[in-house]
């Protein structure tokens, strides 16, 4: 299993930030989740895995949208684990 994380900071006075988590798991396949935290309260914005339906293209769109590592984009394009 692989797990990667990137944090995007938002409004300082609301202590707002968004965590992007993604990776590959032998059971889930490709997966990601987006979690917003505001003043210590976490809200899951979106969760996805390739076993829940959908294609690798959804994972690739996620990686491109948030400008995540090119190496991961290539691995998804080649249907390889990262």
């Amino acid at each position: 299993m692989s797990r990667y994380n990137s944090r995007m900071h938002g409004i300082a006075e609301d202590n707002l930030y968004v965590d992007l988590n993604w990776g590959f798991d032998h059971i889930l396949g490709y997966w990601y989740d987006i979690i917003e935290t505001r003043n210590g309260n976490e809200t899951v914005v979106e969760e996805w895995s390739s076993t829940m339906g959908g294609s690798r293209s959804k994972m690739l769109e996620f990686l491109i949208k948030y400008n995540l590592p090119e190496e991961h984009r290539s691995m998804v394009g080649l249907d390889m684990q990262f």
Side-chain angles (χ1 to χ4, degrees):
M1 177 178 177
S2 63
R3 179 181 181 87
Y4 299 90
N5 177 278
S6 179
R7 178 167 284 178
M8 300 184 321
H9 293 277
I11 304 167
E13 56 269 7
D14 283 346
N15 195 22
L16 170 67
Y17 57 89
V18 175
D19 284 315
L20 305 173
N21 305 296
W22 71 96
F24 183 87
D25 180 82
H26 69 281
I27 294 175
L28 294 174
Y30 297 106
W31 64 272
Y32 70 81
D33 58 44
I34 303 170
I35 300 172
E36 177 185 274
T37 303
R38 183 186 301 261
N39 294 323
N41 298 317
E42 289 186 352
T43 304
V44 176
V45 176
E46 184 177 357
E47 289 182 320
W48 178 85
S49 78
S50 56
T51 59
M52 293 173 30
S55 65
R56 293 187 332 263
S57 63
K58 182 152 174 97
M59 181 67 174
L60 193 54
E61 288 172 9
F62 166 79
L63 294 169
I64 292 168
K65 179 178 181 178
Y66 294 104
N67 197 28
L68 298 174
E70 180 66 37
E71 177 185 354
H72 294 175
R73 296 180 211 177
S74 296
M75 299 300 274
V76 171
L78 295 170
D79 196 17
M80 297 176 71
Q81 300 178 19
F82 56 86

